[in-house]
Short mmCIF file of all heavy atoms in Angstrom, two decimals:
data_model
loop_
_atom_site.label_atom_id
_atom_site.label_comp_id
_atom_site.label_asym_id
_atom_site.label_seq_id
_atom_site.Cartn_x
_atom_site.Cartn_y
_atom_site.Cartn_z
N TYR A 231 34.35 -55.25 -28.20
CA TYR A 231 34.09 -56.69 -28.16
C TYR A 231 32.99 -57.09 -29.17
O TYR A 231 33.10 -58.10 -29.84
CB TYR A 231 33.69 -57.11 -26.74
CG TYR A 231 33.36 -58.57 -26.61
CD1 TYR A 231 34.39 -59.52 -26.61
CD2 TYR A 231 32.05 -59.02 -26.50
CE1 TYR A 231 34.11 -60.89 -26.48
CE2 TYR A 231 31.77 -60.37 -26.39
CZ TYR A 231 32.79 -61.31 -26.37
OH TYR A 231 32.50 -62.64 -26.26
N ARG A 232 31.96 -56.26 -29.28
CA ARG A 232 30.84 -56.57 -30.18
C ARG A 232 30.92 -55.88 -31.53
O ARG A 232 30.00 -55.95 -32.33
CB ARG A 232 29.53 -56.22 -29.47
CG ARG A 232 29.26 -57.16 -28.30
CD ARG A 232 28.01 -56.82 -27.55
NE ARG A 232 27.71 -57.80 -26.52
CZ ARG A 232 28.26 -57.84 -25.33
NH1 ARG A 232 29.20 -56.96 -25.00
NH2 ARG A 232 27.94 -58.76 -24.45
N LYS A 233 32.05 -55.21 -31.77
CA LYS A 233 32.30 -54.53 -33.04
C LYS A 233 31.23 -53.50 -33.40
O LYS A 233 30.72 -53.44 -34.51
CB LYS A 233 32.49 -55.53 -34.18
CG LYS A 233 33.70 -56.42 -33.99
CD LYS A 233 33.84 -57.44 -35.07
CE LYS A 233 35.06 -58.29 -34.99
NZ LYS A 233 35.45 -58.84 -33.74
N VAL A 234 30.86 -52.70 -32.41
CA VAL A 234 29.91 -51.60 -32.59
C VAL A 234 30.70 -50.30 -32.61
O VAL A 234 31.53 -50.07 -31.73
CB VAL A 234 28.89 -51.56 -31.42
CG1 VAL A 234 27.96 -50.36 -31.55
CG2 VAL A 234 28.08 -52.85 -31.38
N PRO A 235 30.49 -49.44 -33.60
CA PRO A 235 31.19 -48.15 -33.61
C PRO A 235 30.93 -47.36 -32.33
O PRO A 235 29.80 -47.34 -31.82
CB PRO A 235 30.61 -47.43 -34.82
CG PRO A 235 30.09 -48.51 -35.70
CD PRO A 235 29.62 -49.60 -34.77
N TYR A 236 31.97 -46.72 -31.83
CA TYR A 236 31.91 -45.98 -30.56
C TYR A 236 32.50 -44.60 -30.76
O TYR A 236 33.52 -44.46 -31.43
CB TYR A 236 32.71 -46.77 -29.52
CG TYR A 236 32.99 -46.03 -28.23
CD1 TYR A 236 32.06 -46.04 -27.21
CD2 TYR A 236 34.16 -45.31 -28.06
CE1 TYR A 236 32.30 -45.36 -26.01
CE2 TYR A 236 34.43 -44.64 -26.87
CZ TYR A 236 33.49 -44.66 -25.86
OH TYR A 236 33.72 -43.98 -24.70
N ALA A 237 31.86 -43.60 -30.18
CA ALA A 237 32.39 -42.24 -30.26
C ALA A 237 32.16 -41.52 -28.92
O ALA A 237 31.18 -41.78 -28.24
CB ALA A 237 31.72 -41.46 -31.38
N GLU A 238 33.09 -40.65 -28.59
CA GLU A 238 32.91 -39.74 -27.46
C GLU A 238 32.68 -38.38 -28.05
O GLU A 238 33.48 -37.90 -28.87
CB GLU A 238 34.14 -39.75 -26.55
CG GLU A 238 34.33 -41.06 -25.83
CD GLU A 238 35.61 -41.11 -25.01
OE1 GLU A 238 36.23 -40.04 -24.77
OE2 GLU A 238 35.98 -42.22 -24.60
N TYR A 239 31.54 -37.76 -27.67
CA TYR A 239 31.21 -36.50 -28.31
C TYR A 239 30.34 -35.64 -27.38
O TYR A 239 29.48 -36.15 -26.68
CB TYR A 239 30.43 -36.76 -29.62
CG TYR A 239 30.23 -35.52 -30.45
CD1 TYR A 239 31.27 -35.03 -31.20
CD2 TYR A 239 29.01 -34.86 -30.45
CE1 TYR A 239 31.09 -33.89 -31.97
CE2 TYR A 239 28.83 -33.72 -31.19
CZ TYR A 239 29.88 -33.23 -31.95
OH TYR A 239 29.70 -32.10 -32.69
N ALA A 240 30.55 -34.36 -27.44
CA ALA A 240 29.77 -33.35 -26.70
C ALA A 240 29.81 -33.59 -25.19
O ALA A 240 30.57 -34.43 -24.71
CB ALA A 240 28.33 -33.30 -27.21
N ASP A 241 29.05 -32.82 -24.46
CA ASP A 241 28.95 -33.03 -23.03
C ASP A 241 27.58 -33.61 -22.70
O ASP A 241 26.71 -33.68 -23.58
CB ASP A 241 29.21 -31.73 -22.25
CG ASP A 241 28.30 -30.60 -22.68
OD1 ASP A 241 27.08 -30.82 -22.76
OD2 ASP A 241 28.80 -29.49 -22.93
N LYS A 242 27.40 -34.02 -21.46
CA LYS A 242 26.14 -34.67 -21.08
C LYS A 242 24.92 -33.80 -21.33
O LYS A 242 23.90 -34.29 -21.81
CB LYS A 242 26.16 -35.03 -19.56
CG LYS A 242 27.15 -36.08 -19.18
CD LYS A 242 27.10 -36.29 -17.67
CE LYS A 242 28.27 -37.06 -17.16
NZ LYS A 242 28.25 -37.17 -15.70
N THR A 243 25.04 -32.53 -21.04
CA THR A 243 23.91 -31.60 -21.22
C THR A 243 23.56 -31.46 -22.69
O THR A 243 22.40 -31.54 -23.08
CB THR A 243 24.23 -30.23 -20.59
OG1 THR A 243 24.57 -30.43 -19.22
CG2 THR A 243 23.05 -29.29 -20.70
N SER A 244 24.56 -31.25 -23.54
CA SER A 244 24.32 -31.09 -24.99
C SER A 244 23.76 -32.37 -25.61
O SER A 244 22.85 -32.31 -26.43
CB SER A 244 25.62 -30.72 -25.71
OG SER A 244 26.12 -29.50 -25.24
N LEU A 245 24.31 -33.50 -25.20
CA LEU A 245 23.84 -34.79 -25.72
C LEU A 245 22.39 -35.02 -25.32
O LEU A 245 21.56 -35.41 -26.15
CB LEU A 245 24.74 -35.91 -25.16
CG LEU A 245 24.89 -37.19 -25.98
CD1 LEU A 245 25.37 -36.88 -27.39
CD2 LEU A 245 25.87 -38.11 -25.30
N GLY A 246 22.06 -34.76 -24.07
CA GLY A 246 20.69 -34.91 -23.60
C GLY A 246 19.75 -33.93 -24.26
O GLY A 246 18.66 -34.31 -24.70
N HIS A 247 20.16 -32.69 -24.38
CA HIS A 247 19.32 -31.66 -25.00
C HIS A 247 19.00 -32.01 -26.45
O HIS A 247 17.87 -31.81 -26.92
CB HIS A 247 20.00 -30.29 -24.90
CG HIS A 247 19.20 -29.18 -25.47
ND1 HIS A 247 18.05 -28.70 -24.86
CD2 HIS A 247 19.35 -28.46 -26.61
CE1 HIS A 247 17.55 -27.74 -25.60
NE2 HIS A 247 18.31 -27.57 -26.65
N ALA A 248 19.98 -32.57 -27.16
CA ALA A 248 19.79 -32.94 -28.57
C ALA A 248 18.68 -33.98 -28.74
O ALA A 248 17.98 -34.00 -29.77
CB ALA A 248 21.10 -33.48 -29.16
N ILE A 249 18.51 -34.86 -27.74
CA ILE A 249 17.48 -35.91 -27.87
C ILE A 249 16.24 -35.61 -27.03
O ILE A 249 15.39 -36.48 -26.84
CB ILE A 249 18.06 -37.29 -27.51
CG1 ILE A 249 18.54 -37.35 -26.06
CG2 ILE A 249 19.17 -37.68 -28.48
CD1 ILE A 249 18.89 -38.75 -25.58
N GLY A 250 16.15 -34.38 -26.54
CA GLY A 250 14.95 -33.97 -25.81
C GLY A 250 14.90 -34.40 -24.36
O GLY A 250 13.85 -34.51 -23.77
N LYS A 251 16.05 -34.63 -23.76
CA LYS A 251 16.16 -35.04 -22.35
C LYS A 251 16.97 -33.99 -21.61
O LYS A 251 17.55 -33.09 -22.21
CB LYS A 251 16.85 -36.40 -22.20
CG LYS A 251 16.24 -37.51 -23.04
CD LYS A 251 14.94 -37.96 -22.50
CE LYS A 251 14.42 -39.13 -23.36
NZ LYS A 251 13.12 -39.57 -22.95
N GLU A 252 17.03 -34.11 -20.28
CA GLU A 252 17.79 -33.14 -19.50
C GLU A 252 19.30 -33.31 -19.72
O GLU A 252 19.98 -32.40 -20.11
CB GLU A 252 17.46 -33.27 -18.02
CG GLU A 252 18.03 -32.15 -17.20
CD GLU A 252 17.56 -32.19 -15.77
OE1 GLU A 252 16.48 -32.76 -15.50
OE2 GLU A 252 18.29 -31.68 -14.92
N PHE A 253 19.83 -34.48 -19.45
CA PHE A 253 21.21 -34.79 -19.74
C PHE A 253 21.36 -36.29 -19.87
O PHE A 253 20.60 -37.06 -19.30
CB PHE A 253 22.18 -34.24 -18.67
CG PHE A 253 21.95 -34.78 -17.30
CD1 PHE A 253 22.60 -35.93 -16.89
CD2 PHE A 253 21.12 -34.11 -16.42
CE1 PHE A 253 22.37 -36.44 -15.61
CE2 PHE A 253 20.90 -34.62 -15.13
CZ PHE A 253 21.53 -35.76 -14.74
N ARG A 254 22.31 -36.72 -20.69
CA ARG A 254 22.57 -38.12 -20.92
C ARG A 254 24.06 -38.36 -21.08
O ARG A 254 24.73 -37.61 -21.80
CB ARG A 254 21.87 -38.64 -22.19
CG ARG A 254 20.37 -38.81 -22.06
CD ARG A 254 20.06 -39.95 -21.07
NE ARG A 254 18.65 -40.22 -20.99
CZ ARG A 254 17.82 -39.71 -20.09
NH1 ARG A 254 18.28 -38.87 -19.18
NH2 ARG A 254 16.56 -40.05 -20.05
N ALA A 255 24.58 -39.39 -20.44
CA ALA A 255 25.99 -39.75 -20.57
C ALA A 255 26.25 -40.70 -21.72
O ALA A 255 27.34 -40.75 -22.28
CB ALA A 255 26.51 -40.37 -19.28
N SER A 256 25.19 -41.45 -22.13
CA SER A 256 25.38 -42.42 -23.20
C SER A 256 24.08 -42.63 -23.97
O SER A 256 23.00 -42.45 -23.44
CB SER A 256 25.84 -43.77 -22.64
OG SER A 256 24.86 -44.29 -21.77
N LEU A 257 24.26 -42.98 -25.25
CA LEU A 257 23.11 -43.29 -26.08
C LEU A 257 23.53 -44.25 -27.18
O LEU A 257 24.71 -44.35 -27.52
CB LEU A 257 22.45 -42.04 -26.65
CG LEU A 257 23.26 -41.10 -27.54
CD1 LEU A 257 23.27 -41.58 -29.00
CD2 LEU A 257 22.65 -39.72 -27.51
N ALA A 258 22.56 -44.98 -27.70
CA ALA A 258 22.81 -45.92 -28.80
C ALA A 258 21.85 -45.60 -29.94
O ALA A 258 20.68 -45.31 -29.70
CB ALA A 258 22.64 -47.36 -28.34
N VAL A 259 22.37 -45.65 -31.16
CA VAL A 259 21.55 -45.46 -32.35
C VAL A 259 21.18 -46.84 -32.86
O VAL A 259 22.05 -47.70 -33.08
CB VAL A 259 22.34 -44.67 -33.44
CG1 VAL A 259 21.47 -44.45 -34.67
CG2 VAL A 259 22.86 -43.36 -32.89
N THR A 260 19.88 -47.08 -33.05
CA THR A 260 19.39 -48.41 -33.42
C THR A 260 19.07 -48.56 -34.91
O THR A 260 18.71 -49.66 -35.32
CB THR A 260 18.15 -48.80 -32.60
OG1 THR A 260 17.14 -47.81 -32.82
CG2 THR A 260 18.48 -48.86 -31.11
N ASP A 261 19.23 -47.50 -35.68
CA ASP A 261 18.98 -47.58 -37.11
C ASP A 261 20.33 -47.48 -37.84
O ASP A 261 21.09 -46.55 -37.61
CB ASP A 261 18.06 -46.41 -37.56
CG ASP A 261 17.80 -46.45 -39.06
OD1 ASP A 261 16.93 -47.23 -39.47
OD2 ASP A 261 18.47 -45.71 -39.79
N GLU A 262 20.59 -48.44 -38.70
CA GLU A 262 21.88 -48.52 -39.38
C GLU A 262 22.18 -47.29 -40.24
O GLU A 262 23.28 -46.74 -40.23
CB GLU A 262 21.95 -49.79 -40.21
CG GLU A 262 23.31 -50.04 -40.84
CD GLU A 262 23.41 -51.38 -41.57
OE1 GLU A 262 22.39 -52.08 -41.68
OE2 GLU A 262 24.51 -51.68 -42.02
N ASN A 263 21.20 -46.84 -41.03
CA ASN A 263 21.40 -45.71 -41.91
C ASN A 263 21.64 -44.41 -41.14
O ASN A 263 22.50 -43.60 -41.52
CB ASN A 263 20.24 -45.54 -42.90
CG ASN A 263 20.19 -46.70 -43.88
OD1 ASN A 263 21.22 -47.19 -44.31
ND2 ASN A 263 19.00 -47.13 -44.22
N LEU A 264 20.87 -44.20 -40.07
CA LEU A 264 21.10 -43.00 -39.26
C LEU A 264 22.44 -43.06 -38.57
O LEU A 264 23.12 -42.04 -38.42
CB LEU A 264 19.96 -42.83 -38.25
CG LEU A 264 18.63 -42.35 -38.84
CD1 LEU A 264 17.51 -42.48 -37.81
CD2 LEU A 264 18.74 -40.93 -39.35
N ALA A 265 22.84 -44.25 -38.14
CA ALA A 265 24.16 -44.42 -37.51
C ALA A 265 25.27 -44.04 -38.50
O ALA A 265 26.21 -43.34 -38.13
CB ALA A 265 24.34 -45.85 -37.02
N LYS A 266 25.15 -44.48 -39.74
CA LYS A 266 26.14 -44.13 -40.77
C LYS A 266 26.18 -42.63 -41.01
O LYS A 266 27.25 -42.05 -41.17
CB LYS A 266 25.83 -44.86 -42.08
CG LYS A 266 26.15 -46.34 -42.04
CD LYS A 266 25.79 -47.02 -43.34
CE LYS A 266 26.01 -48.51 -43.27
NZ LYS A 266 25.57 -49.19 -44.52
N LEU A 267 25.00 -42.00 -41.04
CA LEU A 267 24.93 -40.56 -41.25
C LEU A 267 25.61 -39.82 -40.10
O LEU A 267 26.38 -38.89 -40.32
CB LEU A 267 23.46 -40.13 -41.40
CG LEU A 267 23.21 -38.65 -41.66
CD1 LEU A 267 23.89 -38.20 -42.94
CD2 LEU A 267 21.71 -38.40 -41.74
N ILE A 268 25.35 -40.24 -38.88
CA ILE A 268 25.99 -39.61 -37.71
C ILE A 268 27.49 -39.82 -37.74
O ILE A 268 28.28 -38.90 -37.46
CB ILE A 268 25.37 -40.12 -36.39
CG1 ILE A 268 23.91 -39.65 -36.30
CG2 ILE A 268 26.17 -39.61 -35.18
CD1 ILE A 268 23.11 -40.30 -35.18
N LEU A 269 27.94 -41.03 -38.11
CA LEU A 269 29.38 -41.28 -38.22
C LEU A 269 30.02 -40.38 -39.26
O LEU A 269 31.12 -39.87 -39.04
CB LEU A 269 29.62 -42.76 -38.58
CG LEU A 269 29.54 -43.74 -37.42
CD1 LEU A 269 29.55 -45.18 -37.93
CD2 LEU A 269 30.68 -43.52 -36.44
N ASN A 270 29.34 -40.17 -40.38
CA ASN A 270 29.86 -39.25 -41.41
C ASN A 270 29.99 -37.84 -40.86
O ASN A 270 31.01 -37.17 -41.11
CB ASN A 270 28.96 -39.25 -42.65
CG ASN A 270 29.10 -40.50 -43.46
OD1 ASN A 270 30.10 -41.21 -43.39
ND2 ASN A 270 28.10 -40.80 -44.27
N LYS A 271 29.00 -37.39 -40.10
CA LYS A 271 29.05 -36.06 -39.51
C LYS A 271 30.19 -35.97 -38.47
O LYS A 271 30.86 -34.96 -38.37
CB LYS A 271 27.72 -35.68 -38.87
CG LYS A 271 26.55 -35.59 -39.86
CD LYS A 271 26.79 -34.55 -40.91
CE LYS A 271 25.64 -34.50 -41.89
NZ LYS A 271 25.95 -33.70 -43.09
#
């Protein structure tokens, strides 16, 4: 609806561990350039 890129990736534990948390089901990237870099990866 808001035209924000969306991806399903990894599991909750891996996603959380990557950002220094225990586990996370969702996250948002707030920097445009970093978001583009992650999309490329």
Side-chain angles (χ1 to χ4, degrees):
Y231 179 75
R232 290 177 175 81
K233 296 178 177 45
V234 175
Y236 168 85
E238 292 177 14
Y239 190 78
D241 55 48
K242 293 178 195 176
T243 304
S244 298
L245 207 55
H247 182 70
I249 62 170
K251 307 287 183 184
E252 189 173 335
F253 61 89
R254 286 293 184 264
S256 62
L257 60 84
V259 182
T260 59
D261 180 81
E262 186 175 5
N263 292 324
L264 286 169
K266 286 178 185 176
L267 182 59
I268 294 169
L269 280 169
N270 286 338
K271 297 299 179 192

